[in-house]
Every structure is written in structure tokens, then in C-alpha cells.
């Protein structure tokens, strides 16, 4: 017997080939392109379409690998209404699977922990750390029931730069080859050996996931919205070093500094130890990268920082934020104090960005919401549009 799952819905009303033609106007050269249609940021139908066109097919970043260092460690995450378990099994392998019990669809666990199995609290179906069904009470009279056919649906897993990615398409092409344009910018950080001391999550943020992605990689507002606090990394020092290719799964830019070892804090200088293998050039810039649809990743001389974006609705997201440091940073007896100082600086940016993105989302609901024009300092947005439109097109044509 084969487990039956729901199939992809029909195209939502209004998202068709003609709408795709309108979106194409957002993918031309930055000098001629216009912004995406506002309804893509506000419509439940658009998010339902993206759930199939993007979230069911793309690599989704779920967190750092050091979150589950030991056999039996696990955590859960929900992305676009899909609850997912990420667990390290007894052999040390990382597994990802749906958290939906294959009996009556209850979520089998939530949060994080350590254990040897997952027991659904509803009827005590018991699953292994790799999703296999180990036991199902009182099913001996159920005709044709075979435990081996009722495990938790598995997801593909890939590790990149110390991050765990999952894909609901178990036959998906590998992620890493599509990120090679950006990986040279990370080589000297050795992020797979760096440390993330923890994360915090902003819940129910009132804007669309694409607004979040655009804001993270928007050099145009850098020392305008963030005047004074980001004057060391001004908008006019933005650079876009890689010509776009449809094979890319990363969109990034450089943000140059007015001095070496800049830092996103009140001092404008690095607080934590600078990553020791960085070149002088790397110590005079940040990078800001998008790995859609879930990871925003940035670098500075003394840290990397990431946002994990998880849609909860067309105009609501959760954002998990973390910092990554060189291991020597934790040896400093003042580490906790320095971390607080660095975090206070970041919170200034976060508060300013929250105010801006909330008001952008509000404006996108207006009858006067524009299809606006881009500055040259917004080239990343056009590349993001190209990434997005390609996946819309594949879903519509498919």
C-alpha cells in the first residue's frame, strides 16, 4: 500500500502566463527594471503558489549544525505550515523528516531535545531518529498494514558552511554547486569551524518574506535609513561583483568600508577578534547574501550574521537571528560583555529596519502602491526578481 498525500493545487486565480509577462518587467537591466507587482507581497493566493513553486522544491536553511552536536539531539522548525524535524542519529548522521504523524496527522514533537525515538503523543506511534516507524499499537487487525510503509516522510539534507539545509524533493540537485560564486568570499572565515553561541527569534513580524529579503540586501538605504550608525559602510560603496546567471542560488553584494575592521555598533569598529585568515581587502568590507527562500547571510571582519526567514502567512513571518564568531572569541573572559555590546549595536539596525519594513508592507496594500524604479545601488533586487520569476515560470509551465 502506498501512502497518499495531497497533490499540488491548481494555479491560484490571477497567477498565469499574462501575470508572468508582467513580472518579466522586473527582470530587465537595473536601469530599466520596475519593482514586482504589489499583490505578490500581500496575497494569500501568491503565497499558496510560492509554497508549491518554491518551498516544496528549493533548499531551505533550518539552522546551524552545532545546534545538534550529539547523537539523539533534535529540533523542530515550521516553514510555510510544514513542521520539520532535524535530528542526529546514533551513527552521527543528520536526518530531516516531516513532523506529521502518518496515522492522524498530529505533530509528533515540538521544540528541541535529545532522545532515541519520537513518540506521537496522540496514539503512541513510535518513530526512529531517521523517521522509520518502529511501533504502532493495536494495528495487528488492520488489513495489509506494513510498518515499513508508514515512516515519517524524509527530506533531503545538505550541509554548507556549517548550515543545515533540507529539501522536500529528495531527488533535488545538490545545493553547493549553485553557490560557488559566493563561497570564495567565505573561504577565509572557515564558518564550518566557527561558533554560533545562540540565536533569538522575532515572532509574527508583519511583513512578507520578500520584503525581508529585499531589506537585508538593500545597499540603497544603508547610510540613509541607518544614518550615522552605518556611515562607515555607505551606500555609494556598494558593489555587485558577479554577473547574474540563472544557475545561481545566491544573490550577494559587497559593502565597502571607509576604514579597516569596521563594525555594526556604536564604535564603528570590530569588537570581537577579527577572523585571522582574512585579507586586508576582506577587512575593509562586508558582504550581504541571500540564499532564497530562507537564509540571509552577512559578513564583517569579526563576525558573520544570519537571518532565517520563515513565512507564517502572506504578511507575517518569524525571523531567527544569529551571530557567528571565530572560536577564539569565546576564550575572552569579557566575551559575554562584548556580545551584549555588539548586540546592542545590531538592535539599533533591527529596530530601524522593523519600522521601515512594517511601513513598506502597509504601503503595499495601498491602491497607490507603485511599480517603482530602481537605483543602481539596488541591483541585488533585480537579481532576486530573476531568481523568483524563473521559479514562477517553471511552476506555471510545469
Amino acid at each position: 500500500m502506498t501512502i497518499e498525500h495531497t497533490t499540488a493545487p491548481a494555479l491560484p486565480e490571477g497567477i498565469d502566463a499574462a501575470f508572468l509577462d508582467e513580472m518579466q518587467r522586473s527582470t530587465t537591466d537595473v536601469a530599466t527594471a520596475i519593482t514586482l507587482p504589489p499583490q505578490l507581497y500581500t496575497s494569500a493566493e501568491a503565497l499558496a503558489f510560492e509554497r508549491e513553486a518554491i518551498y516544496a522544491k528549493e533548499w531551505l536553511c533550518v539552522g546551524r549544525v552545532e545546534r545538534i552536536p550529539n547523537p539523539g539531539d533534535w529540533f523542530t522548525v515550521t516553514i510555510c505550515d510544514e513542521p520539520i524535524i532535524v535530528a542526529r542519529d546514533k551513527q552521527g548522521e543528520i536526518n530531516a523528516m516531516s513532523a506529521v504523524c502518518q496515522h492522524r496527522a498530529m505533530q509528533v514533537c515540538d521544540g528541541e531535545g535529545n532522545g532515541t525515538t519520537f513518540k506521537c503523543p496522540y496514539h503512541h506511534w513510535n518513530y526512529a531518529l531517521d523517521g522509520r516507524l518502529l511501533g504502532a499499537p493495536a494495528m495487528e487487525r488492520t488489513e495489509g498494514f506494513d510498518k515499513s510503509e508508514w515512516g515519517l516522510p524524509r527530506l533531503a539534507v545538505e550541509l554548507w558552511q556549517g548550515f543545515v539545509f533540507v529539501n522536500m524533493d529528495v531527488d533535488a540537485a545538490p545545493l553547493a554547486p549553485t553557490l560557488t560564486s559566493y563561497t570564495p568570499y567565505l573561504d577565509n572565515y572557515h564558518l564550518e569551524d566557527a561558533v554560533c553561541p545562540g540565536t533569538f527569534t522575532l515572532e509574527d513580524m508583519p511583513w512578507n518574506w520578500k520584503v525581508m529579503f529585499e531589506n537585508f540586501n538593500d545597499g540603497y538605504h544603508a547610510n540613509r535609513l541607518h544614518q550615522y550608525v552605518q556611515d562607515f559602510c555607505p551606500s555609494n560603496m556598494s558593489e555587485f561583483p558577479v554577473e547574474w546567471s540563472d544557475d545561481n542560488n545566491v544573490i550577494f553584494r559587497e559593502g565597502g568600508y571607509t576604514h579597516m575592521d569596521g563594525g555594526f555598533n556604536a564604535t564603528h569598529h570590530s569588537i570581537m577578534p577579527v577572523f585571522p585568515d582574512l585579507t586586508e581587502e576582506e577587512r575593509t568590507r562586508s558582504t550581504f547574501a541571500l540564499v532564497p527562500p530562507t537564509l540571509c547571510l552577512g559578513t564583517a571582519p569579526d563576525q558573520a550574521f544570519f537571518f532565517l526567514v520563515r513565512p507564517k502567512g502572506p504578511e507575517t513571518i518569524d525571523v531567527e537571528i544569529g551571530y557567528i564568531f571565530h572560536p577564539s572569541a569565546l576564550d575572552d573572559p569579557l566575551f559575554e560583555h562584548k556580545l551584549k555590546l555588539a548586540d546592542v549595536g545590531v538592535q539599533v539596525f533591527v529596530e530601524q529596519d522593523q519600522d521601515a519594513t512594517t511601513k513598506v508592507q502597509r504601503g503595499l496594500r495601498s491602491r497607490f502602491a507603485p511599480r517603482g524604479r530602481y537605483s543602481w545601488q539596488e541591483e541585488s533586487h533585480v537579481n532576486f526578481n530573476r531568481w523568483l520569476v524563473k521559479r514562477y515560470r517553471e511552476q506555471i509551465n510545469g
Side-chain angles (χ1 to χ4, degrees):
M1 179 180 294
T2 302
I3 302 175
E4 296 184 5
H5 297 105
T6 57
T7 57
L11 291 178
E13 183 178 353
I15 297 181
D16 53 20
F19 188 80
L20 186 64
D21 289 341
E22 272 300 303
M23 291 182 66
Q24 291 292 148
R25 299 173 64 198
S26 301
T27 66
T28 62
D29 185 85
V30 67
T32 58
I34 61 175
T35 57
L36 293 168
Q39 59 264 46
L40 288 185
Y41 301 86
T42 62
S43 162
E45 289 78 12
L47 182 61
F49 179 76
E50 289 171 344
R51 190 180 182 195
E52 302 304 324
I54 296 172
Y55 289 90
K57 300 175 181 177
E58 297 300 320
W59 287 97
L60 312 175
C61 186
V62 292
R64 291 286 295 174
V65 69
E66 62 257 45
R67 188 172 177 184
I68 46 173
N70 303 309
D73 287 346
W74 59 269
F75 67 89
T76 61
V77 62
T78 299
I79 302 176
C80 261
D81 289 332
E82 288 290 352
I84 297 165
I85 304 170
V86 183
R88 191 181 290 273
D89 63 25
K90 296 176 183 178
Q91 289 72 43
E93 296 296 319
I94 295 177
N95 300 275
M97 64 214 87
S98 169
V100 176
C101 182
Q102 296 300 286
H103 175 226
R104 295 274 293 281
M106 183 171 180
Q107 187 169 335
V108 301
C109 60
D110 196 15
E112 59 186 354
N114 180 279
T116 56
T117 62
F118 300 109
K119 180 186 287 186
C120 178
Y122 202 6
H123 298 100
H124 287 196
W125 280 34
N126 200 30
Y127 298 92
L129 292 170
D130 61 3
R132 289 175 295 115
L133 179 61
L134 300 176
M139 294 295 290
E140 67 275 1
R141 299 183 187 179
T142 301
E143 186 174 326
F145 181 77
D146 183 347
K147 283 190 306 187
S148 67
E149 298 174 348
W150 294 90
L152 297 175
R154 290 178 59 84
L155 282 63
V157 175
E158 185 168 337
L159 304 183
W160 178 78
Q161 299 288 335
F163 291 94
V164 181
F165 286 80
V166 304
N167 198 312
M168 297 182 201
D169 178 2
V170 295
D171 298 317
L175 174 67
T178 68
L179 306 179
T180 54
S181 62
Y182 182 52
T183 49
Y185 289 80
L186 301 177
D187 284 346
N188 290 336
Y189 284 88
H190 310 293
L191 291 183
E192 64 278 6
D193 299 318
V195 291
C196 174
T199 64
F200 61 95
T201 300
L202 305 175
E203 296 184 341
D204 298 320
M205 295 293 99
W207 52 81
N208 182 269
W209 72 275
K210 295 182 291 295
V211 170
M212 180 76 236
F213 266 64
E214 290 167 346
N215 181 77
F216 184 88
N217 209 354
D218 179 44
Y220 195 27
H221 83 271
N223 67 319
R224 294 180 172 95
L225 180 66
H226 304 309
Q227 189 175 13
Y228 307 122
V229 294
Q230 197 176 327
D231 285 351
F232 74 97
C233 183
S235 299
N236 63 5
M237 293 184 72
S238 291
E239 294 187 16
F240 308 91
V242 175
E243 185 175 347
W244 178 252
S245 165
D246 275 349
D247 295 331
N248 277 351
N249 263 318
V250 60
I251 300 109
F252 71 98
R253 67 179 176 88
E254 299 177 19
Y257 296 166
T258 58
H259 59 259
M260 187 174 287
D261 296 338
F264 294 92
N265 57 72
T267 73
H268 289 184
H269 288 81
S270 297
I271 292 176
M272 297 296 185
V274 170
F275 282 79
D277 290 342
L278 297 186
T279 65
E280 286 195 8
E281 180 183 4
E282 290 169 333
R283 292 171 61 180
T284 58
R285 72 183 183 206
S286 277
T287 66
F288 302 87
L290 311 177
V291 185
T294 49
L295 176 63
C296 303
L297 175 62
T299 63
D302 64 342
Q303 65 177 276
F305 45 92
F306 62 91
F307 292 14
L308 301 179
V309 182
R310 299 192 280 266
K312 299 175 80 172
E315 299 185 89
T316 310
I317 61 173
D318 287 349
V319 184
E320 182 180 352
I321 302 175
Y323 313 123
I324 305 171
F325 303 110
H326 188 266
S328 64
L330 275 65
D331 297 331
D332 188 339
L334 296 177
F335 171 73
E336 293 295 336
H337 298 285
K338 289 183 176 181
L339 180 60
K340 288 179 182 178
L341 182 60
D343 184 59
V344 166
V346 171
Q347 290 305 323
V348 173
F349 291 89
V350 169
E351 290 172 8
Q352 291 175 337
D353 285 333
Q354 282 182 325
D355 181 66
T357 47
T358 298
K359 291 173 180 174
V360 165
Q361 188 69 37
R362 188 182 305 159
L364 287 165
R365 295 195 295 268
S366 167
R367 70 180 67 240
F368 300 111
R371 300 280 306 270
R373 300 297 301 276
Y374 290 110
S375 160
W376 68 266
Q377 295 170 2
E378 298 176 289
E379 185 174 324
S380 292
H381 299 342
V382 177
N383 288 337
F384 178 51
N385 295 346
R386 292 164 176 161
W387 184 94
L388 191 70
V389 169
K390 178 177 185 287
R391 283 142 185 86
Y392 268 59
R393 182 189 302 115
E394 288 171 351
Q395 182 71 10
I396 290 172
N397 292 341

